[in-house]
Amino acid sequence: MADRQGSKPNFRRLRRIQVAALIVGAGVLVVSLWLMGQFRKPEVAPIVMAIAFASIAFSGLFYFGALLLEGSLQKYILSDDTVIKGDTVEMVTTTTESGDPEIDKWIGTYAFTRNLFGMSLVPVLILIGLYFLA
């Protein structure tokens, strides 16, 4: 377990988590497309589902991996808000700056994957609802 009170995250470990998450996400995308037969006859709904599965795999692995192994990034997240602007819904994450550009870059990546994980679940939940209710 990482030192949660440490001043600087381990950048090498974060990079390894990110690369592993990208590889797993790409693998999930390819396998999902293959299992749903999208290389033979592409359709919109299965492609959207495959992209959602890949997004969930990537963002979930990076977010939870970084949270468990480098929990020091969590202290820079101040709040998460859902903002409705007309027909659009936006996830707004308020962060604080560390003063170190390298840490700030990782804070942005961490906050992005948190939002991506949450927003990737939405199309899957909608498609599951349509499957059972339609």
Side-chain angles (χ1 to χ4, degrees), residues 88-110:
T88 62
V89 177
E90 295 179 8
M91 296 278 302
V92 178
T93 301
T94 306
T95 61
T96 184
E97 291 189 12
S98 67
D100 181 350
E102 184 75 12
I103 294 174
D104 290 341
K105 180 186 81 150
W106 282 108
I107 293 167
T109 302
Y110 182 74

Side-chain angles (χ1 to χ4, degrees), residues 1-133:
M1 212 63 172
D3 178 18
R4 299 211 183 274
Q5 302 303 321
S7 61
K8 282 192 126 178
N10 184 334
F11 299 127
R12 292 184 74 198
R13 185 181 301 156
L14 284 170
R15 179 64 68 195
R16 278 188 252 138
I17 294 168
Q18 185 181 40
V19 168
L22 283 170
I23 291 169
V24 168
V28 166
L29 178 65
V30 170
V31 169
S32 296
L33 290 171
W34 176 65
L35 289 175
M36 289 188 275
Q38 296 309 296
F39 293 118
R40 285 183 281 112
K41 184 181 171 198
E43 296 176 26
V44 174
I47 290 173
V48 169
M49 287 175 48
I51 291 170
F53 295 148
S55 297
I56 291 168
F58 162 72
S59 60
L61 184 60
F62 180 80
Y63 169 60
F64 290 113
L67 182 63
L68 292 172
L69 299 175
E70 289 298 327
S72 59
L73 290 175
Q74 185 65 31
K75 68 183 176 185
Y76 296 104
I77 306 293
L78 299 177
S79 68
D80 285 317
D81 298 311
T82 304
V83 178
I84 300 172
K85 295 181 180 178
D87 291 339
T88 62
V89 177
E90 295 179 8
M91 296 278 302
V92 178
T93 301
T94 306
T95 61
T96 184
E97 291 189 12
S98 67
D100 181 350
E102 184 75 12
I103 294 174
D104 290 341
K105 180 186 81 150
W106 282 108
I107 293 167
T109 302
Y110 182 74
F112 169 76
T113 57
R114 281 172 49 119
N115 292 343
L116 180 62
F117 182 72
M119 296 307 284
S120 296
L121 292 175
V122 172
V124 172
L125 294 175
I126 290 170
L127 289 172
I128 288 171
L130 288 174
Y131 176 77
F132 285 113
L133 301 175

